[in-house]
């Protein structure tokens, strides 16, 4: 029994506009499962597939402008590629962002709705991840988060320290999921992860397994829906999707 990390869910003022930005940024395609929801995924991609963690953008009333606990790191293949990507993203509407990073080799930007992300300098570890190098989560205890998420999803723990932990699909494809120790961790309520039971596994059984690992059922006003909202041991909300 295990779960697959399938997408990052962004709450947006304008899902279609934000989805178009990220589709252009990643070189991916755009689709929609209904009004107010925009899906961004690789062209020709059959969901779900561990080669990519997709992005969903959902319109909600007046999402706050804060530094959320989760952000994307984008991969580059050379210094020239990094510079070209940063320039292209600015043309699409991204703006420079200062989160106290100081003098670093990566570039911090904010998308048109203020979601911060990083364009990394070339790193060998991310050479085969696709355009998203990593989904990064600020946390208080990377070791504890690696223990929980390593048990929760079908991903392999690659690195664990007091300051940083990283996981990747057991198939060795797609982006990394990373946990970064950060002082004064903020609330994570407009960007969250969605996970999906493997084919043949039962959603209710997976929810019970996650609760045994330390997750808690959470009410965010979701009402009667096909997914289950939980919070991990640090209070980060995530959704366990149901299979159609």
């Amino acid at each position: 029994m295990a779960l697959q990390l399938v997408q990052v869910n962004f709450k947006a003022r304008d899902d279609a506009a934000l989805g178009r930005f990220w589709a252009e940024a990643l070189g991916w395609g755009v689709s929609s499962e209904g009004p107010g929801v925009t899906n961004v995924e690789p062209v020709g991609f059959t969901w779900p597939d561990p080669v990519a963690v997709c992005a969903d953008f959902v319109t909600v009333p007046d999402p706050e402008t804060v530094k959320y606990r989760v952000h994307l790191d984008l991969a580059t293949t050379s210094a020239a590629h990094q510079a070209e990507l940063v320039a292209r993203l600015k043309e699409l509407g991204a703006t420079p962002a200062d989160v106290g990073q100081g003098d670093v080799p990566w570039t911090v930007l904010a998308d048109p709705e203020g979601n911060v992300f990083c364009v990394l300098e070339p790193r060998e570890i991310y050479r085969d991840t696709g355009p998203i190098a990593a989904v990064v989560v600020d946390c208080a205890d990377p070791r504890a988060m690696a223990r929980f998420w390593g048990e929760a999803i079908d991903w392999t723990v690659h690195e664990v320290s007091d300051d940083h932990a990283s996981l990747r699909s057991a198939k060795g494809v797609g982006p990394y999921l990373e946990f970064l120790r950060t002082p004064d961790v903020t609330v994570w309520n407009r960007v969250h992860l969605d996970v999906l039971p493997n084919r043949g596994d039962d959603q209710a059984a997976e929810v019970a397994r996650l609760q045994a690992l330390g997750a808690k059922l959470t009410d965010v006003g979701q009402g009667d829906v096909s997914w289950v909202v939980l919070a991990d041991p640090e209070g980060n909300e995530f959704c366990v999707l149901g299979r159609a």
Side-chain angles (χ1 to χ4, degrees):
M1 297 176 70
L3 293 150
Q4 182 179 340
L5 174 57
V6 290
Q7 60 201 25
V8 181
N9 187 297
F10 292 80
K11 301 298 186 287
R13 287 186 292 274
D14 184 336
D15 64 283
L18 194 57
R20 284 194 300 272
F21 169 86
W22 278 101
E24 291 284 346
L26 301 172
W28 287 0
V30 176
S31 63
S32 178
E33 61 196 63
V37 181
T38 296
N39 315 112
V40 174
E41 58 192 33
V43 176
F45 178 83
T46 301
W47 188 92
D49 189 315
V51 300
V53 172
C54 300
D56 261 18
F57 301 89
V58 181
T59 292
V60 298
D62 301 323
E64 299 99 327
T65 301
V66 300
K67 181 181 181 294
Y68 301 126
R69 294 185 69 171
V70 61
H71 73 266
L72 301 182
D73 281 352
L74 305 189
T76 62
T77 57
S78 66
H81 180 210
Q82 182 186 20
E84 291 166 2
L85 181 56
V86 168
R88 185 166 65 84
L89 291 165
K90 289 180 179 178
E91 290 177 357
L92 292 171
T95 54
D98 186 349
V99 294
Q101 67 268 24
D103 184 15
V104 293
W106 59 89
T107 301
V108 184
L109 299 173
D111 72 18
E113 291 204 6
N115 299 300
V116 170
F117 64 98
C118 299
V119 181
L120 302 180
E121 76 285 3
R123 300 185 192 181
E124 179 64 18
I125 190 173
Y126 302 132
R127 69 188 184 283
D128 61 352
T129 59
I132 299 176
V135 179
V136 183
V137 181
D138 294 345
C139 68
D141 187 344
R143 291 184 183 276
M145 292 292 276
R147 282 194 299 271
F148 173 82
W149 283 97
E151 290 286 340
I153 61 178
D154 186 21
W155 285 30
T156 300
V157 178
H158 283 260
E159 176 190 341
V160 180
S161 71
D162 289 342
D163 295 320
H164 178 262
S166 67
L167 300 83
R168 197 184 190 195
S169 166
K171 294 180 172 60
V173 295
Y176 287 78
L177 175 62
E178 301 186 353
F179 298 97
L180 183 65
R181 188 169 69 86
T182 307
D184 302 321
V185 176
T186 55
V187 174
W188 179 15
N189 63 350
R190 292 293 186 182
V191 184
H192 68 262
L193 304 182
D194 287 342
V195 297
L196 181 74
N198 288 327
R199 192 169 299 281
D201 286 345
D202 179 70
Q203 182 190 38
E206 284 298 293
V207 168
R209 184 176 69 85
L210 291 166
Q211 289 178 280
L213 292 173
K216 292 181 170 54
L217 290 170
T218 301
D219 187 347
V220 293
Q222 66 268 27
D224 184 15
V225 292
S226 61
W227 57 89
V228 178
V229 183
L230 296 170
D232 72 15
E234 287 205 9
N236 303 307
E237 296 153 9
F238 66 100
C239 295
V240 182
L241 307 180
R243 281 189 174 270

